[in-house]
Amino acid sequence: MPTNERLVALMTEAGFLDGRGEVGRKKFARAVNESAAGRAAGKRFNHTYVGRWLAGVTPRDDATRDAIREALAVRLGRRISPDELGFRSMLSVSPDVGLAYPYRPDDGVNSVAELLEADLAGTAALSNAPANVGAWHDASMAWLVDAQQRLGSGSGPKRVGASDVERLRTMRSTFDRIDSTFGGAHARNALVQYLHGEFPLLLRAQGTADVRAALFSAAGESTQLAAWMSYDAGHHGLAQRYFIQALGFADAGEDRLLAASILDAMSHQASFLGRYREAANMARAARLGTQSAGVAILTSHFYAMEARALARLGEASACDRAMGAAIDHFDRHTPGDGPAWLDYFDDAELAAELGHCHRDLGRPDRAIEFATRALDSASGDYVRSDFFVAMVLADAHLDRGDVDEGCQIAAQAFAVGEGLESARCHSYVIEFRERLAPHRQSPSVREFTASVRNTRMWSRSQPSSP
């Protein structure tokens, strides 16, 4: 039985069938040979070759794969992308794939399909790639000037409906909860595997304008989650690429608020990577691009991300203005008046963001105030977020000289966060360890380090040891 189901589906759609209604291997071999790419390949293909392709064997040379694509494209009257053929083992990916903003929706589909394929294959050039600073600027500007072409009706063999959109959103919610509870590295590969199986057929499928717009919006949400999970797992170049393509999907779906939120998430990653000026600019671009929408809760979050970047830059006055604006806009919103995917941004989350800012500005008293407020009002549904703010609280106590209290809070945070698979969590531990260094002779520090020495949180976070 054939194992390359994608190739079987394409051949069937294109009418390469024999008299019994099964895939016609000889008929397809003739079409491949007669294609321009087939003639250029310099070899003759027969039914045996086709049988191997259907069995999952990947042609070794680009010319053969091009000939197969051309034979199918001529019959189907549309372009066939490499990922549609179902070949995986000979994957060759450009190191720049996904960095360019997709000006056409089809380009975004092809880029994400290629990214997902390379991600599953563990392509080191992508999984270990650093973020590209210029790509952040280019994507921000392309979205702001609304340069993307509008969606077409789709040309694939499948038709999509509202149930397909709902299924994609439901799966995204499921993975989002796993991410928040166990960290991005825990189920990232499972999400990538799911999207790899769903996206190409869904996003190329035919459907009404409304359904396809909703589908691309849902795809933007799912791709953004793949970006977040990759970022949390420490795959920053890969995460940046997913973010950029998610931005394109949201734009194709005419979901301006989601697109701005994705830009806001890119700002978050830039701050984590120490690119604070770029982070502040992307948060401002997100706000600028949604001014006419007037969604107070979303604007509050944009100001909070800008404040986070400005605090790291040490620009206290500008940070204070951004924090004030974040609070003002948050106070104007009515619960439930924003997008559903922003429901997590509540009083606790805002207080946590402000706690980060005051810690980074060297204001431990204010940081303690807001971090304590965040923990006291937290729902407990977001384990990783609770860990982050607990570590901010521990940092602030150390900065104020409360060594005993700082160590006690950190120990409690470690107990909560031990099950998290998150590179970001380890970065918080590194910052805490750096603050511990001046107090290394304290009995409290000695007791704390002895109690956590064998935890994953401690052992995987290795600055200069206190």
Side-chain angles (χ1 to χ4, degrees), residues 29-82:
R30 286 195 297 272
V32 173
N33 286 326
E34 291 168 3
S35 68
R39 293 193 297 271
K43 63 176 73 171
R44 297 293 294 174
F45 303 103
N46 57 32
H47 68 284
T48 302
Y49 279 95
V50 178
R52 291 173 183 163
W53 302 335
L54 291 171
V57 176
T58 299
R60 292 182 176 275
D61 58 290
D62 290 339
T64 299
R65 295 194 291 275
D66 289 344
I68 296 170
R69 289 169 58 202
E70 184 180 334
L72 291 164
V74 168
R75 279 291 191 97
L76 293 171
R78 64 179 177 87
R79 180 177 178 271
I80 302 297
S81 298

Tab-separated table of all heavy atoms in Angstrom, residues 29-82:
chain	number	residue	atom	x	y	z
A	29	ALA	N	4.059	8.497	-14.874
A	29	ALA	CA	5.452	8.479	-15.321
A	29	ALA	C	5.583	9.171	-16.673
A	29	ALA	O	6.533	9.929	-16.912
A	29	ALA	CB	5.958	7.037	-15.404
A	30	ARG	N	4.624	8.924	-17.584
A	30	ARG	CA	4.673	9.580	-18.895
A	30	ARG	C	4.556	11.100	-18.740
A	30	ARG	O	5.267	11.865	-19.402
A	30	ARG	CB	3.548	9.062	-19.795
A	30	ARG	CG	3.778	7.671	-20.335
A	30	ARG	CD	2.831	7.364	-21.495
A	30	ARG	NE	1.431	7.379	-21.070
A	30	ARG	CZ	0.785	6.326	-20.578
A	30	ARG	NH1	1.413	5.166	-20.458
A	30	ARG	NH2	-0.486	6.423	-20.240
A	31	ALA	N	3.655	11.550	-17.864
A	31	ALA	CA	3.477	12.999	-17.671
A	31	ALA	C	4.737	13.636	-17.095
A	31	ALA	O	5.112	14.748	-17.480
A	31	ALA	CB	2.293	13.250	-16.746
A	32	VAL	N	5.399	12.951	-16.175
A	32	VAL	CA	6.646	13.472	-15.604
A	32	VAL	C	7.708	13.568	-16.682
A	32	VAL	O	8.444	14.561	-16.779
A	32	VAL	CB	7.110	12.593	-14.424
A	32	VAL	CG1	8.492	13.035	-13.939
A	32	VAL	CG2	6.104	12.641	-13.280
A	33	ASN	N	7.819	12.532	-17.537
A	33	ASN	CA	8.812	12.538	-18.609
A	33	ASN	C	8.554	13.639	-19.629
A	33	ASN	O	9.490	14.233	-20.179
A	33	ASN	CB	8.817	11.180	-19.331
A	33	ASN	CG	9.461	10.088	-18.510
A	33	ASN	OD1	10.399	10.347	-17.761
A	33	ASN	ND2	8.954	8.860	-18.638
A	34	GLU	N	7.274	13.938	-19.882
A	34	GLU	CA	6.920	14.924	-20.905
A	34	GLU	C	7.000	16.357	-20.407
A	34	GLU	O	6.959	17.301	-21.214
A	34	GLU	CB	5.495	14.638	-21.411
A	34	GLU	CG	5.402	13.340	-22.210
A	34	GLU	CD	3.972	12.917	-22.459
A	34	GLU	OE1	3.050	13.681	-22.044
A	34	GLU	OE2	3.764	11.833	-23.040
A	35	SER	N	7.097	16.555	-19.111
A	35	SER	CA	7.211	17.919	-18.578
A	35	SER	C	8.560	18.515	-18.945
A	35	SER	O	9.534	17.796	-19.196
A	35	SER	CB	7.063	17.905	-17.049
A	35	SER	OG	8.177	17.269	-16.447
A	36	ALA	N	8.609	19.831	-18.987
A	36	ALA	CA	9.877	20.500	-19.320
A	36	ALA	C	10.955	20.147	-18.305
A	36	ALA	O	12.113	19.884	-18.667
A	36	ALA	CB	9.664	22.017	-19.369
A	37	ALA	N	10.586	20.119	-17.029
A	37	ALA	CA	11.558	19.775	-15.998
A	37	ALA	C	11.994	18.318	-16.132
A	37	ALA	O	13.149	17.975	-15.869
A	37	ALA	CB	10.958	20.021	-14.617
A	38	GLY	N	11.055	17.451	-16.567
A	38	GLY	CA	11.392	16.050	-16.759
A	38	GLY	C	12.388	15.859	-17.878
A	38	GLY	O	13.329	15.066	-17.768
A	39	ARG	N	12.182	16.582	-18.977
A	39	ARG	CA	13.128	16.482	-20.090
A	39	ARG	C	14.509	17.001	-19.683
A	39	ARG	O	15.540	16.469	-20.092
A	39	ARG	CB	12.608	17.264	-21.299
A	39	ARG	CG	11.340	16.647	-21.917
A	39	ARG	CD	11.030	17.246	-23.276
A	39	ARG	NE	10.740	18.673	-23.188
A	39	ARG	CZ	9.515	19.175	-22.975
A	39	ARG	NH1	8.490	18.348	-22.796
A	39	ARG	NH2	9.317	20.473	-22.924
A	40	ALA	N	14.506	18.041	-18.826
A	40	ALA	CA	15.791	18.606	-18.379
A	40	ALA	C	16.499	17.718	-17.368
A	40	ALA	O	17.710	17.841	-17.168
A	40	ALA	CB	15.550	19.986	-17.766
A	41	ALA	N	15.760	16.810	-16.739
A	41	ALA	CA	16.360	15.963	-15.715
A	41	ALA	C	17.357	14.967	-16.287
A	41	ALA	O	18.224	14.455	-15.571
A	41	ALA	CB	15.271	15.220	-14.945
A	42	GLY	N	17.214	14.657	-17.569
A	42	GLY	CA	18.195	13.790	-18.204
A	42	GLY	C	18.018	12.316	-17.910
A	42	GLY	O	18.968	11.548	-18.026
A	43	LYS	N	16.824	11.905	-17.496
A	43	LYS	CA	16.575	10.485	-17.251
A	43	LYS	C	15.137	10.164	-17.619
A	43	LYS	O	14.308	11.054	-17.767
A	43	LYS	CB	16.846	10.119	-15.795
A	43	LYS	CG	15.944	10.825	-14.785
A	43	LYS	CD	16.199	10.346	-13.364
A	43	LYS	CE	17.506	10.885	-12.831
A	43	LYS	NZ	17.665	10.593	-11.376
A	44	ARG	N	14.864	8.863	-17.804
A	44	ARG	CA	13.515	8.422	-18.131
A	44	ARG	C	12.915	7.729	-16.917
A	44	ARG	O	13.520	6.846	-16.321
A	44	ARG	CB	13.526	7.448	-19.323
A	44	ARG	CG	14.042	8.055	-20.616
A	44	ARG	CD	13.121	9.116	-21.156
A	44	ARG	NE	11.833	8.571	-21.575
A	44	ARG	CZ	10.804	9.320	-21.980
A	44	ARG	NH1	10.910	10.648	-22.008
A	44	ARG	NH2	9.682	8.745	-22.358
A	45	PHE	N	11.700	8.156	-16.575
A	45	PHE	CA	11.026	7.588	-15.424
A	45	PHE	C	9.988	6.570	-15.877
A	45	PHE	O	9.379	6.722	-16.943
A	45	PHE	CB	10.336	8.695	-14.609
A	45	PHE	CG	11.277	9.774	-14.152
A	45	PHE	CD1	11.312	11.003	-14.809
A	45	PHE	CD2	12.140	9.562	-13.091
A	45	PHE	CE1	12.178	12.011	-14.397
A	45	PHE	CE2	13.011	10.549	-12.671
A	45	PHE	CZ	13.033	11.779	-13.323
A	46	ASN	N	9.788	5.526	-15.096
A	46	ASN	CA	8.769	4.530	-15.407
A	46	ASN	C	7.922	4.249	-14.166
A	46	ASN	O	8.083	4.891	-13.132
A	46	ASN	CB	9.411	3.247	-15.943
A	46	ASN	CG	10.423	2.658	-14.956
A	46	ASN	OD1	10.260	2.782	-13.735
A	46	ASN	ND2	11.471	2.034	-15.480
A	47	HIS	N	7.022	3.271	-14.281
A	47	HIS	CA	6.102	2.993	-13.186
A	47	HIS	C	6.817	2.564	-11.909
A	47	HIS	O	6.307	2.757	-10.796
A	47	HIS	CB	5.094	1.929	-13.608
A	47	HIS	CG	5.707	0.580	-13.821
A	47	HIS	ND1	6.446	0.258	-14.939
A	47	HIS	CD2	5.694	-0.534	-13.035
A	47	HIS	CE1	6.855	-0.992	-14.849
A	47	HIS	NE2	6.419	-1.498	-13.712
A	48	THR	N	8.019	2.006	-12.050
A	48	THR	CA	8.781	1.588	-10.865
A	48	THR	C	9.202	2.798	-10.042
A	48	THR	O	9.123	2.791	-8.805
A	48	THR	CB	10.014	0.781	-11.271
A	48	THR	OG1	9.585	-0.364	-12.031
A	48	THR	CG2	10.787	0.304	-10.044
A	49	TYR	N	9.663	3.851	-10.734
A	49	TYR	CA	10.009	5.095	-10.039
A	49	TYR	C	8.795	5.622	-9.273
A	49	TYR	O	8.893	6.008	-8.095
A	49	TYR	CB	10.463	6.161	-11.042
A	49	TYR	CG	11.888	6.050	-11.499
A	49	TYR	CD1	12.203	5.376	-12.676
A	49	TYR	CD2	12.913	6.652	-10.780
A	49	TYR	CE1	13.503	5.291	-13.120
A	49	TYR	CE2	14.229	6.576	-11.221
A	49	TYR	CZ	14.536	5.888	-12.391
A	49	TYR	OH	15.827	5.807	-12.815
A	50	VAL	N	7.654	5.662	-9.972
A	50	VAL	CA	6.448	6.202	-9.348
A	50	VAL	C	6.061	5.372	-8.126
A	50	VAL	O	5.669	5.915	-7.084
A	50	VAL	CB	5.275	6.255	-10.351
A	50	VAL	CG1	4.012	6.783	-9.682
A	50	VAL	CG2	5.648	7.135	-11.545
A	51	GLY	N	6.211	4.051	-8.238
A	51	GLY	CA	5.914	3.181	-7.110
A	51	GLY	C	6.777	3.506	-5.897
A	51	GLY	O	6.303	3.485	-4.751
A	52	ARG	N	8.038	3.807	-6.146
A	52	ARG	CA	8.932	4.168	-5.040
A	52	ARG	C	8.498	5.486	-4.398
A	52	ARG	O	8.516	5.628	-3.173
A	52	ARG	CB	10.363	4.283	-5.554
A	52	ARG	CG	11.002	2.962	-5.963
A	52	ARG	CD	12.340	3.210	-6.623
A	52	ARG	NE	12.946	1.976	-7.100
A	52	ARG	CZ	13.936	1.927	-7.976
A	52	ARG	NH1	14.431	3.064	-8.474
A	52	ARG	NH2	14.437	0.767	-8.353
A	53	TRP	N	8.123	6.457	-5.251
A	53	TRP	CA	7.694	7.756	-4.702
A	53	TRP	C	6.448	7.578	-3.843
A	53	TRP	O	6.349	8.166	-2.766
A	53	TRP	CB	7.402	8.740	-5.836
A	53	TRP	CG	8.568	8.984	-6.762
A	53	TRP	CD1	9.890	8.834	-6.467
A	53	TRP	CD2	8.492	9.397	-8.124
A	53	TRP	NE1	10.654	9.132	-7.573
A	53	TRP	CE2	9.830	9.489	-8.606
A	53	TRP	CE3	7.449	9.704	-9.001
A	53	TRP	CZ2	10.130	9.871	-9.910
A	53	TRP	CZ3	7.745	10.089	-10.309
A	53	TRP	CH2	9.070	10.180	-10.748
A	54	LEU	N	5.524	6.739	-4.332
A	54	LEU	CA	4.296	6.507	-3.575
A	54	LEU	C	4.580	5.756	-2.274
A	54	LEU	O	3.838	5.886	-1.294
A	54	LEU	CB	3.298	5.713	-4.416
A	54	LEU	CG	2.707	6.458	-5.613
A	54	LEU	CD1	1.914	5.510	-6.486
A	54	LEU	CD2	1.824	7.612	-5.143
A	55	ALA	N	5.653	4.985	-2.251
A	55	ALA	CA	6.030	4.233	-1.057
A	55	ALA	C	6.769	5.092	-0.042
A	55	ALA	O	7.139	4.606	1.027
A	55	ALA	CB	6.883	3.029	-1.447
A	56	GLY	N	7.006	6.370	-0.379
A	56	GLY	CA	7.642	7.272	0.571
A	56	GLY	C	9.097	7.554	0.312
A	56	GLY	O	9.748	8.260	1.097
A	57	VAL	N	9.641	7.025	-0.779
A	57	VAL	CA	11.044	7.293	-1.117
A	57	VAL	C	11.148	8.680	-1.745
A	57	VAL	O	10.416	8.990	-2.692
A	57	VAL	CB	11.597	6.232	-2.089
A	57	VAL	CG1	13.020	6.584	-2.515
A	57	VAL	CG2	11.551	4.850	-1.449
A	58	THR	N	12.042	9.503	-1.233
A	58	THR	CA	12.210	10.862	-1.743
A	58	THR	C	13.248	10.881	-2.854
A	58	THR	O	14.359	10.371	-2.670
A	58	THR	CB	12.672	11.807	-0.617
A	58	THR	OG1	11.685	11.816	0.400
A	58	THR	CG2	12.889	13.211	-1.120
A	59	PRO	N	12.921	11.442	-4.026
A	59	PRO	CA	13.926	11.589	-5.086
A	59	PRO	C	15.135	12.373	-4.575
A	59	PRO	O	14.987	13.353	-3.843
A	59	PRO	CB	13.182	12.365	-6.179
A	59	PRO	CG	11.737	12.100	-5.904
A	59	PRO	CD	11.615	11.972	-4.426
A	60	ARG	N	16.306	11.953	-4.969
A	60	ARG	CA	17.521	12.550	-4.425
A	60	ARG	C	17.850	13.908	-5.037
A	60	ARG	O	18.565	14.698	-4.432
A	60	ARG	CB	18.716	11.611	-4.631
A	60	ARG	CG	18.623	10.340	-3.808
A	60	ARG	CD	19.858	9.478	-4.005
A	60	ARG	NE	19.811	8.308	-3.153
A	60	ARG	CZ	20.213	8.276	-1.884
A	60	ARG	NH1	20.700	9.379	-1.340
A	60	ARG	NH2	20.138	7.176	-1.172
A	61	ASP	N	17.366	14.182	-6.225
A	61	ASP	CA	17.772	15.417	-6.906
A	61	ASP	C	16.591	16.362	-7.070
A	61	ASP	O	15.432	15.942	-7.200
A	61	ASP	CB	18.386	15.098	-8.279
A	61	ASP	CG	17.412	14.328	-9.155
A	61	ASP	OD1	17.145	13.145	-8.841
A	61	ASP	OD2	16.916	14.901	-10.127
A	62	ASP	N	16.911	17.663	-7.087
A	62	ASP	CA	15.882	18.690	-7.240
A	62	ASP	C	15.159	18.573	-8.579
A	62	ASP	O	13.960	18.847	-8.676
A	62	ASP	CB	16.513	20.085	-7.119
A	62	ASP	CG	16.980	20.389	-5.708
A	62	ASP	OD1	16.480	19.739	-4.768
A	62	ASP	OD2	17.850	21.272	-5.548
A	63	ALA	N	15.899	18.183	-9.630
A	63	ALA	CA	15.299	18.123	-10.963
A	63	ALA	C	14.132	17.149	-11.009
A	63	ALA	O	13.093	17.424	-11.623
A	63	ALA	CB	16.361	17.731	-11.999
A	64	THR	N	14.290	16.001	-10.374
A	64	THR	CA	13.195	15.014	-10.356
A	64	THR	C	11.999	15.539	-9.590
A	64	THR	O	10.845	15.407	-10.028
A	64	THR	CB	13.687	13.695	-9.739
A	64	THR	OG1	14.764	13.168	-10.527
A	64	THR	CG2	12.563	12.674	-9.678
A	65	ARG	N	12.252	16.138	-8.445
A	65	ARG	CA	11.136	16.682	-7.662
A	65	ARG	C	10.433	17.800	-8.426
A	65	ARG	O	9.208	17.925	-8.384
A	65	ARG	CB	11.649	17.167	-6.304
A	65	ARG	CG	12.185	16.040	-5.422
A	65	ARG	CD	12.381	16.479	-3.973
A	65	ARG	NE	13.454	17.426	-3.818
A	65	ARG	CZ	14.742	17.102	-3.686
A	65	ARG	NH1	15.103	15.829	-3.719
A	65	ARG	NH2	15.675	18.030	-3.525
A	66	ASP	N	11.212	18.622	-9.152
A	66	ASP	CA	10.613	19.683	-9.968
A	66	ASP	C	9.751	19.095	-11.089
A	66	ASP	O	8.692	19.646	-11.417
A	66	ASP	CB	11.704	20.572	-10.563
A	66	ASP	CG	12.383	21.453	-9.520
A	66	ASP	OD1	11.821	21.603	-8.417
A	66	ASP	OD2	13.468	21.978	-9.809
A	67	ALA	N	10.199	17.997	-11.664
A	67	ALA	CA	9.432	17.363	-12.741
A	67	ALA	C	8.109	16.816	-12.216
A	67	ALA	O	7.063	16.922	-12.880
A	67	ALA	CB	10.257	16.243	-13.369
A	68	ILE	N	8.127	16.243	-11.037
A	68	ILE	CA	6.891	15.728	-10.427
A	68	ILE	C	5.927	16.875	-10.164
A	68	ILE	O	4.721	16.789	-10.473
A	68	ILE	CB	7.219	14.985	-9.120
A	68	ILE	CG1	8.071	13.741	-9.404
A	68	ILE	CG2	5.934	14.599	-8.377
A	68	ILE	CD1	8.645	13.089	-8.158
A	69	ARG	N	6.445	17.961	-9.616
A	69	ARG	CA	5.591	19.122	-9.339
A	69	ARG	C	4.993	19.678	-10.625
A	69	ARG	O	3.799	20.026	-10.669
A	69	ARG	CB	6.401	20.210	-8.635
A	69	ARG	CG	6.776	19.890	-7.193
A	69	ARG	CD	7.790	20.865	-6.657
A	69	ARG	NE	7.320	22.231	-6.724
A	69	ARG	CZ	8.110	23.303	-6.717
A	69	ARG	NH1	9.419	23.164	-6.664
A	69	ARG	NH2	7.598	24.505	-6.754
A	70	GLU	N	5.809	19.765	-11.674
A	70	GLU	CA	5.323	20.350	-12.927
A	70	GLU	C	4.238	19.477	-13.560
A	70	GLU	O	3.225	19.986	-14.062
A	70	GLU	CB	6.482	20.529	-13.900
A	70	GLU	CG	6.064	21.222	-15.186
A	70	GLU	CD	7.221	21.408	-16.163
A	70	GLU	OE1	8.378	21.477	-15.708
A	70	GLU	OE2	6.952	21.478	-17.379
A	71	ALA	N	4.432	18.154	-13.526
A	71	ALA	CA	3.432	17.258	-14.107
A	71	ALA	C	2.085	17.426	-13.404
A	71	ALA	O	1.022	17.403	-14.048
A	71	ALA	CB	3.912	15.813	-14.007
A	72	LEU	N	2.111	17.594	-12.107
A	72	LEU	CA	0.879	17.792	-11.351
A	72	LEU	C	0.300	19.182	-11.587
A	72	LEU	O	-0.920	19.349	-11.742
A	72	LEU	CB	1.148	17.582	-9.861
A	72	LEU	CG	1.460	16.137	-9.446
A	72	LEU	CD1	2.096	16.099	-8.065
A	72	LEU	CD2	0.183	15.301	-9.467
A	73	ALA	N	1.169	20.205	-11.620
A	73	ALA	CA	0.706	21.584	-11.787
A	73	ALA	C	0.015	21.785	-13.128
A	73	ALA	O	-0.990	22.511	-13.212
A	73	ALA	CB	1.890	22.537	-11.650
A	74	VAL	N	0.526	21.156	-14.188
A	74	VAL	CA	-0.072	21.298	-15.516
A	74	VAL	C	-1.502	20.757	-15.507
A	74	VAL	O	-2.422	21.378	-16.057
A	74	VAL	CB	0.787	20.565	-16.568
A	74	VAL	CG1	0.033	20.455	-17.896
A	74	VAL	CG2	2.103	21.297	-16.781
A	75	ARG	N	-1.712	19.620	-14.882
A	75	ARG	CA	-3.041	19.019	-14.828
A	75	ARG	C	-4.001	19.809	-13.936
A	75	ARG	O	-5.181	19.953	-14.240
A	75	ARG	CB	-2.941	17.593	-14.298
A	75	ARG	CG	-2.542	16.562	-15.321
A	75	ARG	CD	-3.637	16.332	-16.365
A	75	ARG	NE	-3.346	15.183	-17.182
A	75	ARG	CZ	-3.855	13.976	-16.970
A	75	ARG	NH1	-4.707	13.790	-15.969
A	75	ARG	NH2	-3.543	12.976	-17.755
A	76	LEU	N	-3.456	20.300	-12.800
A	76	LEU	CA	-4.319	20.948	-11.809
A	76	LEU	C	-4.531	22.425	-12.084
A	76	LEU	O	-5.437	23.043	-11.515
A	76	LEU	CB	-3.728	20.762	-10.404
A	76	LEU	CG	-3.711	19.322	-9.886
A	76	LEU	CD1	-2.911	19.227	-8.597
A	76	LEU	CD2	-5.143	18.846	-9.650
A	77	GLY	N	-3.671	23.010	-12.909
A	77	GLY	CA	-3.811	24.423	-13.231
A	77	GLY	C	-3.462	25.341	-12.079
A	77	GLY	O	-3.992	26.454	-11.977
A	78	ARG	N	-2.591	24.890	-11.204
A	78	ARG	CA	-2.148	25.725	-10.091
A	78	ARG	C	-0.726	25.336	-9.704
A	78	ARG	O	-0.227	24.267	-10.089
A	78	ARG	CB	-3.074	25.555	-8.879
A	78	ARG	CG	-3.082	24.158	-8.257
A	78	ARG	CD	-4.020	24.121	-7.057
A	78	ARG	NE	-4.129	22.796	-6.470
A	78	ARG	CZ	-3.325	22.304	-5.540
A	78	ARG	NH1	-2.310	23.053	-5.094
A	78	ARG	NH2	-3.498	21.092	-5.044
A	79	ARG	N	-0.093	26.229	-8.962
A	79	ARG	CA	1.273	25.974	-8.500
A	79	ARG	C	1.251	24.900	-7.412
A	79	ARG	O	0.389	24.902	-6.540
A	79	ARG	CB	1.876	27.261	-7.947
A	79	ARG	CG	3.298	27.141	-7.434
A	79	ARG	CD	3.806	28.520	-6.986
A	79	ARG	NE	5.151	28.458	-6.437
A	79	ARG	CZ	5.434	28.228	-5.164
A	79	ARG	NH1	4.431	28.046	-4.307
A	79	ARG	NH2	6.672	28.180	-4.738
A	80	ILE	N	2.215	23.985	-7.467
A	80	ILE	CA	2.361	22.955	-6.449
A	80	ILE	C	3.612	23.273	-5.632
A	80	ILE	O	4.712	23.402	-6.191
A	80	ILE	CB	2.492	21.547	-7.071
A	80	ILE	CG1	1.277	21.227	-7.936
A	80	ILE	CG2	2.678	20.494	-5.985
A	80	ILE	CD1	-0.028	21.167	-7.185
A	81	SER	N	3.439	23.416	-4.335
A	81	SER	CA	4.569	23.699	-3.462
A	81	SER	C	5.283	22.409	-3.080
A	81	SER	O	4.659	21.337	-3.034
A	81	SER	CB	4.106	24.414	-2.199
A	81	SER	OG	3.524	25.661	-2.529
A	82	PRO	N	6.581	22.487	-2.786
A	82	PRO	CA	7.336	21.266	-2.465
A	82	PRO	C	6.731	20.458	-1.327
A	82	PRO	O	6.737	19.232	-1.361
A	82	PRO	CB	8.728	21.803	-2.098
A	82	PRO	CG	8.848	23.069	-2.874
A	82	PRO	CD	7.472	23.660	-2.877
